[in-house]
Amino acid sequence: MPVYDKKYDVIVVGGGHAGCEAALAASRMGASTLLLNLSLDNTAMMPCNPSIGGPAKGHLVREGSALGGEQADAADASAMLIRMLNTSKGPAVRAPRAQCDLKEYERHFRLKVQTQKGLDVRQEKVSDLWIEEGRARGVRTLYGYDYEASAVVLATGTFLGARVHIGPVSLSSGPLGQEPSNELAASLRSAGLAFRRMRTDTSPRLHVDTLDLAELTAQESDEAPVSLSLWGEGRVLRDYRCYMTRSNPRTHDIVRGNLDRSPLSMGWMRGEGPRYCPSIEAKVINFPEKQSHPVFLEPVSRSNREVYVQNFSTSLPLDAQAEMIHSLPGCGRAFITRPGYAIEYDCLDSTELSPWLEVKKVAGLFCAGQLNGTSGYEEAAAQGLLAGINAALRARGDDPLVLRRSESYIGVLVDDLATKGSPEPYRMLTSRCEHRLILRIDNAGRRLAPLGRRLGLLDDDRWRRINESWRRVDSELERLGRARVAPSDGLNSDLAGVGSSPLTETLFASDLLRRPEVPYSLVARHSPPSDPPRGEEVVSVEVEVKYRGYIDRQERQVERMARMEDVRIPPGLDYSAIPSLLTESRQKLAAVRPVTLGQAGRISGVTPADIHILSVWLDALSRRSGENEAQGRP
Ligand SMILES: Cc1cc2nc3c(=O)[nH]c(=O)nc-3n(C[C@H](O)[C@H](O)[C@H](O)COP(=O)(O)OP(=O)(O)OC[C@H]3O[C@@H](n4cnc5c(N)ncnc54)[C@H](O)[C@@H]3O)c2cc1C
């Protein structure tokens, strides 16, 4: 193939959620970027339920927004329903979730990538990686050119070696009838990278006009405006609803009666399926004691009449799917517009990656998204953003960006992938994060926007608006600490209304707010600010006052652990030369090649005693190199 006459800084392969974010981030940072996609018509395609956010996933999206990512804006712009979830629980697990119009979401991304300065977008099928002397030089395509770049980001999702299964039918296909990507899968294997086979399923779609809505429980959007973007004004959306129904013993009997026709029992599928988003078959098999599972019927677009059947993914034959659907209350006459199916695909063993998403064996090659063994649009976009940033940094010869576990869910996600790997599709959960109270939705901007600004990913207007927001929160916190509230009949009656004891003497407004049952709105009513906090700023004020003690404790813990994160491990360290390490630890350390002592401590199977031995060894090593330097020796 001829070599294309323009050499790029960054090439991104794949125009899904990860690829679009990577391409936008790299080009916005000033890197000349090329985005190659199998089909421009599948840009940011949503082959599963078009919902964005929820606990942990919403945290990833909000953090992406703080770093200048696009997914939150796409979700806000296309939302049909939007809600803040977990409002009755602690602030750490509250998160927005939007049910998006999948066509509008795709259009948002397609327009963004096609109008982004410094970004060329072309339909091409990448067949091969161009690697020379352990370094990525570019990519080769099936019917076009060879393209050269300083860094390459692969974001090929579920397409590598993809096979679709519905009952006894098994065919070579990408999601929703897209072309699979078989040549590239072979090329990556021949580069010596370790792969796994994984699997995920999706649900049938139904025609909304064939549902008996009166038999279903409706769920509306929130009354208060909610947005995923840090800068969104929030919208209240009343035109669409989602509906709830439940599976029942009859549904489960139908599933059981058809299991012998499932692709798993027929031995077609080998890939590992998702533990946290299992098919209805897996639920019936693994939880035989459960008589019922909740099922949600959610709209997918303003431009069609289809609904997605959430929590009901299946790869049983179509006739069995129809019987199962008809057994659900409200779905007795439902018409299936698209059958559910399972898709199996190749993905990278993510321990091949560094904590900045570069393949350790191939300099300049970055991987992001479902290719790395994750599942979900949010996980994909978050990785794409980080990979795009790091590809741009690599192209200009700068140090890579590593996000710490203590500063972001994105850091937790990437550290888990690089350090522990995942034998099954990895989904972000709040329980994976040890610093939940300091990694909240409402403080994502404080944590990451300064970094987004330094990287050149936040424009002046966004930076000014977020600074104004921080100023409002800080001045209100300062005011609450000095304003005094005196007892009065009105105040005591309001306190009684929230189950709080009456005030008998004057106290600081912050002390009143510190009472767990007293909301900020009550305090502000009796001690009004001149420039009141708005929207989620109120949450930040409340959390700062009510949870300060717990936050301090978590911050001290982070400081202690930060010392281990700062101890760097030389890239070529010979673990076989360290005496007394257990063989298992030595093998795992040599396989993962952690970058810091902190990362070494998180490798499963490496004992705390071995981390201590390693730490003493690194100390001695750094003393020796200090002495050598002082004596002018290399
Ligand atoms: C059947 C199914 C069920 C799913 N279920 C869920 C779920 O329940 N919950 C959930 O959160 N997520 C689910 N997902 C996952 C969600 O769709 C993915 O996690 C998300 O799309 C991954 O984004 P990505 O950018 O990594 O890859 P994708 O969105 O798959 O995008 C990959 C891109 O790479 C391009 N590409 C591939 N090969 C080449 C090549 N050789 N040359 C050029 N371009 C190429 C493709 O055209 C595509 O644009 C499901 C996906 C599928 C297919």
Side-chain angles (χ1 to χ4, degrees):
M1 286 290 171
V3 177
Y4 191 59
D5 54 14
K6 177 172 176 184
K7 181 182 171 189
Y8 288 91
D9 292 325
V10 175
I11 292 175
V12 177
V13 182
H17 311 267
C20 286
E21 287 285 18
L24 287 170
S27 49
R28 286 168 178 171
M29 285 171 67
S32 65
T33 304
L34 172 67
L35 171 61
L36 296 173
N37 192 7
L38 262 181
S39 161
L40 297 192
D41 296 328
N42 75 19
T43 304
M45 185 176 81
M46 302 178 107
C48 199
N49 190 7
S51 90
I52 297 285
K57 286 172 174 274
H59 288 74
L60 290 172
V61 183
R62 181 61 70 81
E63 289 176 359
S65 174
L67 283 171
E70 196 61 41
Q71 187 174 48
D73 290 316
D76 283 342
S78 60
M80 301 173 76
L81 274 143
I82 189 158
R83 299 171 58 211
M84 185 63 83
L85 304 186
N86 286 342
T87 44
S88 59
K89 298 191 181 158
V93 295
R94 274 176 222 156
R97 177 189 188 271
Q99 183 68 14
C100 299
D101 179 318
L102 57 89
K103 291 291 167 203
E104 289 175 21
Y105 178 94
E106 288 172 17
R107 198 181 55 187
H108 180 100
F109 264 113
R110 195 175 312 123
L111 273 175
K112 281 288 167 187
V113 292
Q114 291 194 349
T115 54
Q116 174 61 43
K117 195 165 147 266
L119 175 59
D120 292 340
V121 181
R122 179 170 284 173
Q123 183 162 309
E124 280 258 34
K125 185 173 193 183
V126 173
S127 54
D128 232 332
L129 269 180
W130 177 4
I131 301 174
E132 274 177 17
E133 293 167 0
R135 162 172 293 276
R137 272 201 66 188
V139 295
R140 307 208 148 101
T141 58
L142 205 59
Y143 40 75
Y145 295 97
D146 290 350
Y147 294 90
E148 197 175 357
S150 306
V152 174
V153 179
L154 289 184
T156 49
T158 50
F159 285 68
L160 294 195
R163 287 199 77 78
V164 159
H165 306 272
I166 309 179
V169 179
S170 165
L171 45 123
S172 171
S173 169
L176 291 180
Q178 300 285 310
E179 186 186 353
S181 181
N182 295 328
E183 302 81 0
L184 185 57
S187 151
L188 289 169
R189 280 185 200 282
S190 66
L193 304 182
F195 274 81
R196 296 179 190 278
R197 194 87 176 139
M198 288 194 184
R199 160 175 64 88
T200 183
D201 322 68
T202 188
S203 311
R205 275 66 156 179
L206 310 180
H207 197 301
V208 68
D209 298 341
T210 62
L211 301 179
D212 294 313
L213 299 182
E215 290 180 37
L216 298 165
T217 315
Q219 266 185 354
E220 309 261 357
S221 242
D222 266 8
E223 305 256 340
V226 173
S227 73
L228 281 114
S229 163
L230 198 50
W231 287 272
E233 299 289 314
R235 284 194 289 160
V236 179
L237 299 155
R238 311 301 295 172
D239 294 345
Y240 289 86
R241 295 158 171 199
C242 100
Y243 296 90
M244 201 185 133
T245 182
R246 295 195 75 92
S247 67
N248 50 59
R250 179 163 152 60
T251 322
H252 299 184
D253 282 346
I254 300 166
V255 171
R256 271 189 285 270
N258 283 285
L259 280 178
D260 59 333
R261 296 199 295 151
S262 84
L264 262 183
S265 339
M266 297 178 92
W268 298 138
M269 287 200 296
R270 290 174 291 119
E272 211 47 61
R275 179 190 304 252
Y276 298 104
C277 204
S279 63
I280 186 74
E281 294 93 288
K283 286 184 209 170
V284 169
I285 296 169
N286 297 334
F287 306 102
E289 71 288 357
K290 283 214 162 185
Q291 299 292 303
S292 170
H293 297 280
V295 174
F296 297 90
L297 304 166
E298 309 201 77
V300 299
S301 175
R302 295 180 175 92
S303 60
N304 68 31
R305 300 293 293 159
E306 291 176 274
V307 293
Y308 187 88
V309 190
Q310 177 70 20
N311 283 356
F312 209 74
S313 63
T314 177
S315 55
L316 288 175
L318 180 55
D319 58 293
Q321 294 188 23
E323 233 190 307
M324 285 147 59
I325 288 286
H326 293 154
S327 71
L328 302 174
C331 301
R333 337 173 266 121
F335 182 78
I336 297 181
T337 53
R338 296 171 207 236
Y341 63 92
I343 187 164
E344 247 191 320
Y345 51 93
D346 290 336
C347 55
L348 190 68
D349 175 342
S350 60
T351 58
E352 294 275 10
L353 298 167
S354 68
W356 52 93
L357 294 177
E358 189 170 13
V359 174
K360 286 181 274 192
K361 291 175 188 148
V362 187
L365 176 64
F366 297 81
C367 293
Q370 193 129 354
L371 170 65
N372 290 345
T374 57
S375 164
Y377 311 119
E378 302 85 345
E379 288 82 349
Q383 291 172 70
L385 180 59
L386 186 65
I389 290 171
N390 275 318
L393 291 173
R394 155 70 72 171
R396 56 160 105 129
D398 287 348
D399 285 342
L401 170 70
V402 177
L403 292 173
R404 292 187 172 192
R405 296 181 75 90
S406 55
E407 68 186 331
S408 64
Y409 272 73
I410 306 179
V412 174
L413 165 70
V414 175
D415 182 64
D416 279 351
L417 292 177
T419 309
K420 299 185 188 136
S422 182
E424 63 207 14
Y426 178 104
R427 176 187 170 164
M428 197 67 222
L429 304 166
T430 51
S431 56
R432 297 193 193 273
C433 167
E434 61 275 38
H435 306 297
R436 281 192 290 281
L437 192 53
I438 54 176
L439 303 187
R440 304 183 311 274
I441 286 286
D442 69 278
N443 72 351
R446 294 259 189 183
R447 291 185 274 123
L448 297 169
L451 179 57
R453 176 70 176 171
R454 275 204 302 283
L455 291 166
L457 292 169
L458 295 183
D459 62 24
D460 291 346
D461 177 55
R462 290 197 161 191
W463 184 240
R464 179 188 52 74
R465 280 162 59 198
I466 197 157
N467 274 284
E468 276 171 15
S469 165
W470 294 339
R471 187 196 45 72
R472 264 192 305 275
V473 171
D474 291 344
S475 70
E476 180 57 356
L477 284 169
E478 194 261 329
R479 186 193 74 81
L480 289 167
R482 62 182 161 70
R484 288 173 171 276
V485 189
S488 70
D489 289 346
L491 173 60
N492 283 341
S493 140
D494 283 351
L495 286 173
V498 295
S500 196
S501 54
L503 217 60
T504 49
E505 52 189 40
T506 299
L507 85 181
F508 287 117
S510 54
D511 288 331
L512 186 59
L513 183 55
R514 210 160 280 127
R515 294 184 179 186
E517 66 283 3
V518 173
Y520 172 80
S521 54
L522 189 154
V523 178
R525 200 156 48 242
H526 296 277
S527 172
S530 56
D531 186 9
R534 306 166 192 176
E536 277 181 37
E537 293 165 9
V538 171
V539 179
S540 296
V541 169
E542 279 190 334
V543 172
E544 265 302 316
V545 173
K546 290 187 192 296
Y547 294 88
R548 196 14 75 195
Y550 298 102
I551 294 173
D552 283 344
R553 203 179 310 155
Q554 216 159 77
E555 283 174 348
R556 280 198 297 276
Q557 210 178 13
V558 168
E559 260 169 48
R560 275 199 301 278
M561 288 169 60
R563 278 177 236 136
M564 297 238 306
E565 298 298 335
D566 287 337
V567 181
R568 298 195 70 79
I569 302 180
L573 184 69
D574 179 6
Y575 290 100
S576 65
I578 308 177
S580 355
L581 278 184
L582 288 176
T583 309
E584 187 187 353
S585 297
R586 183 173 291 138
Q587 284 168 348
K588 289 199 162 153
L589 287 162
V592 175
R593 300 227 141 263
V595 178
T596 63
L597 195 60
Q599 191 193 356
R602 292 189 292 274
I603 301 173
S604 61
V606 177
T607 63
D610 281 341
I611 291 300
H612 180 68
I613 293 170
L614 179 59
S615 148
V616 172
W617 183 264
L618 291 171
D619 254 359
L621 209 63
S622 94
R623 266 202 312 279
R624 231 176 299 146
S625 82
E627 283 162 16
N628 285 345
E629 247 171 56
Q631 293 165 18
R633 287 200 301 257

